[in-house]
Amino acid sequence: VDPDTPPDTLSDRSLRAVAQLIKDGAAKQIVVMTGAGISTAAGIPDFRSPKTGLYHNLARLNLPHPEAVFEIDFFRDNPEPFYLLAKELYPGNFSPTISHAFIALLAKKGLLRMLFTQNIDCLERAAGVPADRIIEAHGSFATQRCIDCKTPFPDDQMREHVKRGEAPRCARDGCGGLVKPDIVFFGEQLPEAFHSNISVPCAADLVLVMGTSLLVHPFAGLPRRAREGVPRVLFNLERVGDMGTRADDVLVLGDCDSGIRKLADELGWRDELEALWRGV
Ligand code: CNA
């Protein structure tokens, strides 16, 4: 978009203008879309950042290609790399960031229409975002089942296996299939909740996109579902997807915690946010 094109809704393409929209009560159906970048400050590596990303570090596992760790056919033959990763990523090992807390604060103020997350770390829940406001588009570690007969596997036994980095086997008589957490592997269907809420972004009056490369489909198509004229704000290290191409897009490039703190300052919510974060 030509930088001189005036925005339709915002007074200008700045965080201050975004904050004003919220303070005026004109943005109260906020839809948030997140990815691994909001959890890197919690100590969980993302996939694609050069050098620090998981894909870079998976090189030591001798995978045919890094994505293989999330491919069902590879998993069937060799589940160990996935379970090594699961041991690192397992919920309970990490605490939410200020960005997670900000989403919880939006919910507390009744302004969060929905959070769509690609993350499987459950840190949004840990930060206090209500479960009925979260769409875990790529599933989570909360439940698990056999990849063959689909029989659910008990949580406590799963935790023990993950701690040891070992793949559990289905306990059903005569099955013995591999057990996998209900996180979405490449080529697998996204959860029903994703599809049944796919139109929610069309009803948003403000969209916040945080810490995602917007490379994984169909999730990557969500920001485009916002109606024209609806401001979309990107908090990310780099520009991604089509963010920045609309007149009401605001790019906040840098680490998302700093961007979120700036927005909280503009809103006059900073103390409340820090207090909420300290409490989780
Ligand atoms: P990705 O492709 O690794 O992209 C991460 C994006 O975040 C990149 O654009 C980075 O530049 C950016 N980024 C990294 N750190 C920061 C930061 N501190 N502040 C702002 N931006 C930052 O990850 P996506 O989520 O886009 O890819 C989708 C995959 C990654 C999903 O299937 C997830 O399940 C999967 N994943 C999840 C986790 C997790 O649950 N925490 C961790 C790693 C991967």
Side-chain angles (χ1 to χ4, degrees):
V1 68
D2 179 342
D4 293 333
T5 310
D8 292 324
T9 307
L10 295 171
S11 54
D12 59 70
R13 298 173 75 170
S14 70
L15 270 187
R16 174 164 303 171
V18 173
Q20 196 57 49
L21 199 74
I22 299 174
K23 286 195 273 190
D24 290 347
K28 45 184 191 302
Q29 301 283 343
I30 303 176
V31 173
V32 181
M33 299 160 190
T34 60
I38 72 159
S39 296
T40 52
I44 307 175
D46 65 6
F47 276 173
R48 292 179 183 81
S49 282
K51 299 226 159 56
T52 56
L54 280 174
Y55 281 163
H56 177 83
N57 290 313
L58 285 172
R60 64 193 151 94
L61 296 179
N62 284 330
L63 299 166
H65 48 271
E67 288 85 352
V69 74
F70 294 111
E71 284 166 8
I72 200 77
D73 291 341
F74 181 83
F75 178 81
R76 220 175 256 286
D77 291 342
N78 185 4
E80 272 75 32
F82 170 79
Y83 273 94
L84 272 176
L85 198 71
K87 191 178 168 181
E88 271 181 54
L89 292 185
Y90 207 58
N93 295 341
F94 302 94
S95 305
T97 66
I98 198 101
S99 296
H100 292 100
F102 183 79
I103 307 169
L105 186 57
L106 286 177
K108 199 173 150 209
K109 291 181 181 289
L111 300 173
L112 181 70
R113 174 68 189 262
M114 198 62 85
L115 162 68
F116 289 84
T117 182
Q118 297 167 91
N119 294 345
I120 49 180
D121 54 31
C122 299
L123 285 184
E124 300 88 356
R125 287 170 192 246
V129 182
D132 65 352
R133 296 282 143 164
I134 308 178
I135 305 293
E136 288 169 331
H138 295 166
S140 84
F141 279 106
T143 53
Q144 52 282 319
R145 68 199 65 245
C146 170
I147 61 171
D148 293 325
C149 74
K150 311 293 177 202
T151 302
F153 189 79
D155 295 348
D156 50 341
Q157 290 182 38
M158 185 67 183
R159 212 167 297 124
E160 289 309 310
H161 275 86
V162 172
K163 252 192 232 160
R164 297 196 298 267
E166 275 172 27
R169 294 268 171 187
C170 180
R172 201 179 60 90
D173 260 359
C175 179
L178 278 165
V179 172
K180 171 178 107 33
D182 290 332
I183 64 173
V184 179
F185 275 29
F186 290 114
E188 285 188 313
Q189 274 292 323
L190 269 58
E192 204 325 269
F194 178 83
H195 297 290
S196 55
N197 285 281
I198 192 95
S199 325
V200 169
C202 318
D205 46 24
L206 175 63
V207 169
L208 307 179
V209 179
M210 297 156 59
T212 169
S213 60
L214 288 184
L215 286 174
V216 180
H217 289 274
F219 192 98
L222 290 177
R224 222 166 285 144
R225 291 186 162 262
R227 283 171 290 123
E228 286 290 336
V230 167
R232 305 184 307 170
V233 189
L234 174 70
F235 298 90
N236 210 54
L237 289 179
E238 49 181 352
R239 202 185 69 74
V240 294
D242 75 334
M243 298 299 294
T245 62
R246 294 188 186 177
D248 283 277
D249 285 354
V250 178
L251 301 181
V252 186
L253 301 186
D255 77 275
C256 55
D257 286 351
S258 309
I260 286 298
R261 282 195 165 98
K262 268 187 218 138
L263 177 57
D265 283 338
E266 296 289 354
L267 285 161
W269 296 358
R270 180 68 181 271
D271 291 346
E272 198 181 351
L273 174 64
E274 300 282 349
L276 181 78
W277 183 45
R278 275 195 303 274
V280 295

